[in-house]
Amino acid sequence: MTVDELETALSIPVPDDPRLVLDDSRRLTGPGLLWKHYGAILDVFVEGVDTAKVADVWSAEARRVLDAVGWQAEKLIARQFEDGLNLAITAPIDQLYSAIFVAQVAWHYTAHTLLGTEPDSLEPFVSGVTAVMAEEANPDLLALQKAADERAIDFLSDDDHVSLGHGAGSMTWPVRSIPPLEDIPWDSLYNLPVALITGTNGKSTSVRLSAAIGEAAGIGSGTTSTDYVKIGDDILDYGDYSGPGGARMLLRDKRLELAFLEVARGGILRRGLALRQAQAALVTNIANDHLGQYGVNTVEALADAKFAVARTLAVDGILVLNADDPLVVRNGHQAERQVCWFSLDPENPEIQAAKSTGNLCCWLEDGMIIYFDGTSAQPMLAAADAPVTMGGAAKFNIRNVMGALCLGKALGLSDAAIIKGLSTFESKPEDNPGRCNEFFAKGARVFVDFAHNPHSVEAVSDALAHLPSKRKFLLLGHAGDRSDEDIRNLTLAALAFGPDQIIIVELEEYLRGRRFGEVSDLIEKACLENGVPGDVIRKADSPPTGTELIIKDLAEGDLALLLVLDERDKVFALLEAAA
């Protein structure tokens, strides 16, 4: 069967009842929120039924179905959230479509049991699932996985290809054309230094800072991000590649020698992470953003999801964590890998504890970034010497610098390369597009940033608010898929910049169900309710149009913050033309 045929091979009926709704079924191809196993997961919504009872019935029915198809050794789990459950089973790597059908059959019986209705006979389900299992079976793939695990060589598999090792130390084959194990040149396969970078804000900047360190070391460094997959100056593809597909694309490129992978919430929850032998991982921070999907409805649950990166680490891997973030600290204490803490405060309890117990840590003291290797403390560089910190004013970027520094140490890069990379990486579109990029137009300083949640907007606004200026201009808009309260909070965060003039822009490509002008009206309302005079507020139909209005009014000594979430290249071109 083709993949499309496998996906649609069976149709498992479920009761049509609003009290128990099967929302989504999908494969798990790597470590994720629940565990590190391959398998399948269901998201179900529950109304008026005790979720604990649902979990108990699911556990019994899932075990019955697993046993019936011959998967006695496979595991199951139920995670309860506010209005439903995630229900998952493990499965062999070559049986993930079959696993979805097994999980759906288990839900068929769970829902009927809870609703008191008559289920279908089990025998036809088992017959159908086992037929799909036979079509999907790939014993060569299982044998390759076992051999790779025995050698601690990373194993990356998808519908079409399977690879062992990373980059220069990798080999890739079609999943149905795997050579005999004895013909594989095992001595040529190895894992590269790979770091995963996640968090709510600062991921892309941290990835690019880290890659700059690798390049300063003269190592062929590659990155994945929400913008592209890149090795050195070569962009493999543009797009959001912060999921497992981007990771596999990069890690299979034979030019690669060092990798930094941006990891977003969506990829973790949809499919899981691509690898299991990373050398380091960084969690930058945890804040309210993109809640309400896949059963992740709270910031605490979001933290649990982000910490899936710890499950990708090799036995000797290092987890780099922001000690100034309470949720990062909470989850960090539960991690089963060595932790390297970093903080802006030398008196931070995690820093003090690490120093006293001979563990890795990094802190800021009197403007100097200090790294402790477990034995001695070493001044690395002044925070102000890293251009992205804006002379030390941008505290959020000081943390990003410290995280990248700790990753560099964890990957065994030299101090000289770390210092060179951090001190030469700048806030310009070529180095870090959309992240506090500075332009000069008509004698004014203009900053363009992609910040799109209250936490990141507040950090940028606060950093720039302290820069000298005659007048301040603010451009902002927001996507329509956020709640009215989210839009209000983002607006309040932006007002921390202290603008004298505000341009509210529409994002026509991101209305997402709202009418044109609705988001702008909400932003304007929040401004007026918080004391902004109506005569300093203007509206524009797009970010480029709003940028043109600001450029027209700019004068020497002014300062502008443009929160540009769409048509960024057009905005860059306008500012470059006005320089």
Side-chain angles (χ1 to χ4, degrees):
M1 288 186 182
T2 66
V3 169
D4 288 342
E5 290 171 334
L6 283 170
E7 286 182 316
T8 58
L10 299 177
S11 178
I12 310 299
V14 296
D16 182 12
D17 193 296
R19 292 171 292 175
L20 295 170
V21 176
L22 175 57
D23 180 58
D24 191 29
S25 309
R26 59 191 183 278
R27 296 169 296 150
L28 293 176
T29 58
L33 170 63
L34 302 182
W35 51 19
K36 63 182 180 180
H37 305 292
Y38 303 109
I41 185 170
L42 309 180
D43 301 325
V44 301
F45 293 124
V46 176
E47 183 177 343
V49 182
D50 181 17
T51 53
K53 184 176 181 181
V54 177
D56 289 342
V57 175
W58 154 263
S59 296
E61 295 294 352
R63 176 48 58 199
R64 183 165 73 99
V65 178
L66 286 168
D67 291 347
V69 300
W71 283 0
Q72 290 85 355
E74 300 302 337
K75 304 173 184 178
L76 56 94
I77 192 171
R79 170 187 173 265
Q80 300 175 46
F81 53 87
E82 289 71 20
D83 53 353
L85 301 96
N86 305 122
L87 306 170
I89 61 170
T90 64
I93 185 63
D94 68 331
Q95 301 274 273
L96 299 188
Y97 289 103
S98 299
I100 290 177
F101 297 133
V102 170
Q104 289 174 342
V105 171
W107 178 248
H108 171 93
Y109 288 103
T110 300
H112 278 292
T113 299
L114 291 165
L115 295 171
T117 52
E118 188 67 25
D120 294 351
S121 171
L122 179 60
E123 185 175 336
F125 285 140
V126 172
S127 177
V129 170
T130 53
V132 176
M133 290 168 62
E135 288 285 346
E136 197 176 4
N138 188 341
D140 290 343
L141 183 66
L142 292 179
L144 185 69
Q145 180 192 21
K146 183 175 183 293
D149 289 347
E150 289 171 349
R151 296 166 171 82
I153 296 174
D154 226 339
F155 172 94
L156 285 73
S157 180
D158 55 47
D159 287 333
D160 301 313
H161 295 91
V162 59
S163 58
L164 301 183
H166 306 142
S170 72
M171 292 190 72
T172 303
W173 305 273
V175 290
R176 294 290 177 179
S177 300
I178 298 169
L181 297 183
E182 60 271 20
D183 292 346
I184 294 174
W186 292 99
D187 289 345
S188 70
L189 299 174
Y190 54 88
N191 302 324
L192 294 177
V194 177
L196 285 80
I197 298 169
T198 194
T200 301
N201 299 307
K203 298 186 294 295
S204 295
T205 297
S206 297
V207 162
R208 293 164 183 161
L209 279 166
S210 300
I213 293 172
E215 291 165 6
I219 299 173
S221 302
T223 62
T224 65
S225 70
T226 52
D227 294 312
Y228 44 63
V229 179
K230 183 179 181 183
I231 298 179
D233 294 328
D234 184 15
I235 293 178
L236 279 62
D237 198 10
Y238 287 96
D240 185 349
Y241 281 107
S242 57
R248 287 190 290 266
M249 182 191 301
L250 178 66
L251 294 174
R252 288 171 176 167
D253 194 299
K254 298 286 283 186
R255 296 170 295 173
L256 184 72
E257 298 175 306
L258 175 67
F260 300 95
L261 312 178
E262 178 175 344
V263 176
R265 165 206 57 86
I268 294 172
L269 296 173
R270 277 193 298 271
R271 288 281 184 264
L273 297 160
L275 69 163
R276 296 165 183 270
Q277 295 290 336
Q279 191 170 336
L282 164 64
V283 183
T284 60
N285 48 59
I286 306 292
N288 186 336
D289 192 30
H290 291 294
L291 299 181
Q293 295 177 311
Y294 304 109
V296 174
N297 301 325
T298 67
V299 69
E300 290 79 11
L302 180 62
D304 294 339
K306 298 286 188 180
F307 267 79
V309 295
R311 297 191 173 107
T312 70
L313 292 175
V315 174
D316 58 350
I318 295 174
L319 189 57
V320 177
L321 300 178
N322 177 3
D324 296 329
D325 187 302
L327 283 173
V328 173
V329 171
R330 184 202 72 169
N331 284 64
H333 284 301
Q334 302 169 14
E336 297 180 353
R337 291 292 184 266
Q338 183 181 11
V339 172
C340 176
W341 296 102
F342 65 90
S343 172
L344 298 182
D345 180 8
E347 301 302 319
N348 181 287
E350 305 308 324
I351 300 299
Q352 291 297 312
K355 289 166 65 178
S356 66
T357 55
N359 288 309
L360 306 176
C361 62
C362 180
W363 66 92
L364 182 70
E365 187 169 357
D366 297 328
M368 179 65 66
I369 297 174
I370 312 293
Y371 180 80
F372 181 72
D373 64 5
T375 302
S376 60
Q378 176 187 1
M380 294 292 293
L381 80 162
D385 289 342
V388 295
T389 71
M390 297 168 56
K395 290 184 171 55
F396 64 95
N397 266 343
I398 297 178
R399 289 193 177 95
N400 292 334
V401 165
M402 296 171 78
L405 185 156
C406 293
L407 284 183
K409 284 285 194 176
L411 299 179
L413 301 178
S414 71
D415 289 350
I418 291 171
I419 294 168
K420 180 180 178 181
L422 296 176
S423 60
T424 57
F425 183 87
E426 299 184 57
S427 289
K428 56 186 181 181
E430 306 93 284
D431 285 352
N432 201 20
R435 273 71 179 181
C436 231
N437 301 145
E438 184 174 8
F439 295 82
F440 293 90
K442 299 171 65 175
R445 298 178 73 180
V446 181
F447 291 87
V448 179
D449 200 278
F450 185 70
H452 58 282
N453 58 58
H455 184 270
S456 59
V457 171
E458 183 177 14
V460 172
S461 298
D462 181 67
L464 297 182
H466 298 94
L467 297 180
S469 64
K470 291 182 178 178
R471 296 177 303 167
K472 295 178 183 176
F473 292 79
L474 173 67
L475 180 146
L476 76 160
H478 206 40
D481 60 349
R482 302 302 178 90
S483 69
D484 291 4
E485 184 64 18
D486 287 341
I487 294 169
R488 179 179 182 276
N489 289 337
L490 177 130
T491 304
L492 297 184
L495 292 179
F497 176 58
D500 299 296
Q501 296 286 330
I502 298 175
I503 305 293
I504 301 171
V505 299
E506 280 294 326
L507 305 178
E508 189 168 4
E509 295 297 316
Y510 295 89
L511 293 177
R512 293 172 178 169
R514 291 188 185 265
R515 61 172 176 79
F516 191 89
E518 185 178 352
V519 173
S520 291
D521 289 345
L522 290 170
I523 293 173
E524 181 181 29
K525 179 182 178 183
C527 289
L528 295 172
E529 288 177 349
N530 284 273
V532 177
D535 61 356
V536 306
I537 300 173
R538 290 179 287 173
K539 293 181 179 178
D541 61 8
S542 70
T545 303
T547 300
E548 289 174 336
L549 290 175
I550 289 178
I551 291 172
K552 181 179 178 181
D553 289 348
L554 282 177
E556 187 171 351
D558 289 340
L559 178 67
L561 169 59
L562 313 184
L563 297 173
V564 179
L565 309 188
D566 190 26
E567 300 183 272
R568 193 170 61 203
D569 290 343
K570 292 182 180 179
V571 170
F572 286 165
L574 288 169
L575 292 171
E576 287 167 354

